[in-house]
Amino acid sequence: MANNSDFKNIVGLSEDEAVKKLKEDGYNELPSTEKRSSLAIVFEVIREPMFLLLLGSGIIYLLLGDLEEALMLLGFVFVIIGITFYQERKTERTLEALRDLSSPRALVIREGMQKRIAGREVVRDDILVLKEGDRVPADAVILSCSNLLVNESLLTGESVPVRKVPCGGVMEMHPPGGDGLPSVYSGTLVVQGQGLAQVQFIGMNTEMGKIGKRLQTLETEDTKLQKETRTLVRNFAIVGLSLCAAVVVIYGFTRFNWLNGFLAGITLAMAILPEEIPVVLTIFLALGAWRISRKRVLTRRSYAIQALGSSTVLCVDKTGTLTLNQMSVSKIFANGEFYDINHEKQDSLPENFHELVEFSILASQRDPFDPMEKALKKLGKDTLSDTEHLHDDWMIVREYPLSQYLLAMSHVWKSPDGKDYIIAAKGAPEAITDLCHLNEAETEKMSDEIKLMSNEGLRIIGVAKAAFKEPDLPVEQHDFKFEFLGLIGFIDPVRLGVANAIQECYNAGIRVVMITGDYPGTAKNIAKQIGLKPREEVITGPQLDNMDDLELQHRIINVNIFARVVPEQKLRLVNALKAKNEVVVMTGDGVNDAPALKSAQIGISMGGRGTDVAREASSLVLLDDDFSSIVAAVKMGRRIFDNLKKAVAYIFAVHVPIVGMSLIPVFFNMPLVLFPVQIVFLELIIDPSCSIVFEAEKAEANVMNRPPRNPKEPLFDRNIISLSVLQGVSVLIVVLIIYVTSLYWGQGESHARTLTYTTLILSNLALILTNRSWTRTIIESLRTPNSALWWVIGGALIFLGLIIYFEPLRELFKFTTLNLNDLLICLAGGFISVLWFEGFKLIHRTKQT
């Protein structure tokens, strides 16, 4: 026991010794990562090819004197810098949060006196005084203690506190999570009792520090979208600049007009460079983060939103993620009967069970810190409030704490009007059996009842009572004559909605893997409650240690439950799944989860119960810890990815006729159709269409009833590119026919240009309408509201009218006026250009049906 006499007998370090050790070992804290300067972060941003393309396009517009378009593009440049800078700074807080958590205030004994110091000033061999509610400041070995229970969930993931015992003179640290061991760890929480401990490790040498080391060595992996986009933009830039140079040279040498040659080259560069792609990605992901935040999910890395939509495996940490991370009473046994507790409807208990609950509360602390004791007190408050079995006016006389020899504790009480002592005991069932001196038959019968409860994944304690009349209380609990009262089974309840959320994951083709530090029986029981499958096979932590990486990669294909797993093994599991080309989502809330969260392509932490370390290491944070929010995030990710594909297909399609009408007149010695000012006007339609109209599209009906995208399949696959290019070619053919026919009929260069450009604008609007959905026709998709669509179409038609019929603008664009027949021809041409794709949708849908 740790009492005042123990404190008086301990001298501890002298101040000089403490100062010396502090100089030798440094402060008891985790060193912060070397911070990058603001300029370094900005330099990393501007090195991105996507950023350089955006910057280059803005400069081109600026050189051409188009200030508005230049300012818009350069504005996006600063938006991207701001967003990236903010995200990078937040990421660097991971180790800072870990350091803050590992350095609480500490009570130490130095020179025979208790002294409160900053946790960072604790040194090796310091004597710590640990009390209920304290956070342990360093890894240490217990010298003496009284009923000491410590919650080590930060390191093990398990909510049930473990009992600590004195070391018996051997200063040796053990792995976290063991019951009846003398080791305590930095960052863990004392939930009951008190004790003295001698510090063995500080700072980076603690268990918490080891996690910090792993975080320092892990790099956040770029998503496939980021990699593909960089490659695409780079290739487009190379091709665009090459063609631009070729057009300038050809025009200059064939027509001997180098000024117009440069103008044609710049027009082509503006036509072919897809500056919309970086804009689209920025806006889609930024608005996606905003939309998903309305579902109580915070986005820390915007690219993770779309990656989540293509995820294939969801690794779930049981405690605090699938469960509430708080113990509750599930089943009780007394007088030969079992009784299931229903917390939603429970307001009374059968009389047979009153005494069992009464004495379980008497064997607990008055104001409990321990989760099990809190659960017992809540049960009593919910079911015994109107009975005589709650005793707030009783006085506790003595405590008999747990010991390594007897895993039971007893409280001795005296009522205001009673003469006898009343004793309540609770503890491990075998310890209570020992206290009650049950015979062999009674012990065997109780073992059967314990087995029935343990098969349900419950943690079980026994409860007993005794009375004592002598004035002097005995030294040991065994000296009381105890009567066995019954058993109480606890469970960490499953979160509401988890089963439905997991079923939705299965419907979406996402595999769910449960990773827990709990026992296999408990893990299987939880798996049964939430509908996890298959659940017959379980791999334990010790079995993992005996596997090499290749064997693990082979076994992990078919096993979805991993029990008795420690933090290092969680990281191994994530890496094994990634080695099988899976897109891995990892959920968690403890410090122990941070390395796995950071290693996974998408890390999701719990905002309410999660530690700062887990939140800073993750890509997404569930603000209300609601597991079903993951499903909403998956749906949002898939919607964003679908709409992104539509927008990119539209960008490819609309650029084909623009590039074609920029190149063909040059190669066939025809009058130029497009000039920079006309390209700018087209961009005023293209930019908001691809970035706002398609982003606002609702999710497709089957978005959560189809398998995830194959991780090996590129975003810009051949089917998408082929279909979008075909759309663009069909528009180019129609526009070219109208242009050549107009010239052939001798209507003049300006009139041909006006007809061609008007058809191109209307074809552009038709492309927007047909690409809203690749499964529904234009008429069907119009039934789905999209207010941004009508603003873009209305704005485009108004501006088109102005540049044709408002003389100053008409002269700027080198156009003529059009009559009604001309407009009908342009309108017909615009919709004929996409008619084949509408038919393709119907044929494809019929085949699938």
Side-chain angles (χ1 to χ4, degrees), residues 121-385:
E121 295 175 5
V122 170
V123 298
R124 275 185 307 108
D125 298 326
D126 250 332
I127 305 299
L128 303 175
V129 179
L130 303 176
K131 296 182 180 180
E132 187 173 298
D134 286 349
R135 196 170 288 280
V136 181
D139 287 8
V141 171
I142 299 295
L143 301 177
S144 64
C145 64
S146 172
N147 200 23
L148 186 63
L149 293 178
V150 180
N151 186 324
E152 297 180 349
S153 60
L154 285 178
L155 296 172
T156 65
E158 294 311 307
S159 57
V160 178
V162 290
R163 178 179 54 87
K164 297 300 177 181
V165 298
C167 64
V170 180
M171 295 295 175
E172 182 180 356
M173 295 295 296
H174 302 81
D179 198 65
L181 295 175
S183 307
V184 291
Y185 309 93
S186 175
T188 59
L189 189 66
V190 178
V191 298
Q192 186 173 297
Q194 57 182 349
L196 296 176
Q198 185 170 344
V199 174
Q200 302 298 305
F201 299 106
I202 64 170
M204 291 296 283
N205 295 319
T206 62
E207 289 294 321
M208 187 89 73
K210 293 173 185 175
I211 294 174
K213 288 177 183 177
R214 288 198 296 276
L215 283 174
Q216 283 181 318
T217 59
L218 290 173
E219 293 294 332
T220 302
E221 184 176 331
D222 286 342
T223 64
K224 195 171 182 67
L225 178 61
Q226 286 172 294
K227 297 172 184 176
E228 289 178 23
T229 304
R230 285 176 191 154
T231 303
L232 178 76
V233 169
R234 182 196 64 204
N235 294 343
F236 256 94
I238 293 172
V239 171
L241 292 174
S242 301
L243 284 175
C244 174
V247 165
V248 172
V249 172
I250 292 171
Y251 199 101
F253 279 110
T254 57
R255 305 191 190 187
F256 305 104
N257 188 334
W258 289 96
L259 182 60
N260 280 349
F262 276 107
L263 186 64
I266 291 172
T267 302
L268 177 63
M270 293 171 66
I272 203 170
L273 292 178
E275 76 272 9
E276 300 93 354
I277 289 180
V279 174
V280 162
L281 288 175
T282 301
I283 290 178
F284 265 56
L285 297 179
L287 288 179
W290 171 74
R291 292 184 189 280
I292 207 170
S293 70
R294 298 172 70 186
K295 300 183 183 298
R296 305 290 295 161
V297 179
L298 174 67
T299 304
R300 295 196 63 257
R301 292 181 64 226
S302 57
Y303 279 94
I305 298 175
Q306 73 80 25
L308 187 62
S310 58
S311 58
T312 59
V313 178
L314 174 57
C315 293
V316 187
D317 183 63
K318 177 185 74 68
T319 305
T321 307
L322 295 175
T323 65
L324 291 170
N325 195 20
Q326 51 185 306
M327 304 301 291
S328 66
V329 179
S330 177
K331 185 187 284 282
I332 54 180
F333 173 82
N335 298 309
E337 295 181 38
F338 285 103
Y339 187 82
D340 292 313
I341 305 295
N342 186 335
H343 289 279
E344 293 181 7
K345 300 179 180 179
Q346 199 74 47
D347 56 4
S348 64
L349 278 179
E351 185 67 35
N352 281 349
F353 300 94
H354 283 194
E355 195 173 39
L356 171 64
V357 177
E358 173 188 9
F359 277 85
S360 70
I361 295 170
L362 288 172
S364 306
Q365 299 292 328
R366 259 194 205 282
D367 186 17
F369 207 79
D370 174 64
M372 283 188 175
E373 293 188 350
K374 283 184 175 180
L376 290 171
K377 189 162 186 177
K378 182 180 185 302
L379 179 63
K381 182 180 178 182
D382 292 344
T383 62
L384 300 180
S385 292

Side-chain angles (χ1 to χ4, degrees), residues 62 96 114 170 172 185 189 216 243 251 262 272 274 312 382 505 521 531 563 571-572 607 740 759 781 789 802 815 823:
L62 196 61
E96 292 178 24
Q114 292 188 40
V170 180
E172 182 180 356
Y185 309 93
L189 189 66
Q216 283 181 318
L243 284 175
Y251 199 101
F262 276 107
I272 203 170
T312 59
D382 292 344
C505 287
L571 188 57
R572 272 194 75 196
V740 172
T759 305
S781 61
L789 171 70
L802 288 173
F815 286 165
L823 292 174

Side-chain angles (χ1 to χ4, degrees), residues 284 287 291 639 643 646-647 688-700 768-773 776 778 780-794:
F284 265 56
L287 288 179
R291 292 184 189 280
R639 169 187 162 179
N643 290 344
K646 295 172 188 176
S689 299
C690 59
S691 59
I692 298 175
V693 173
F694 288 108
E695 192 283 329
E697 280 299 311
K698 303 293 183 184
E700 297 282 352
I768 295 171
L769 291 172
T770 195
N771 279 291
R772 284 185 67 200
S773 174
R776 295 171 294 152
I778 291 176
E780 290 170 335
S781 61
L782 284 176
R783 297 170 189 164
T784 304
N786 186 330
S787 58
L789 171 70
W790 300 113
W791 280 104
V792 169
I793 290 178

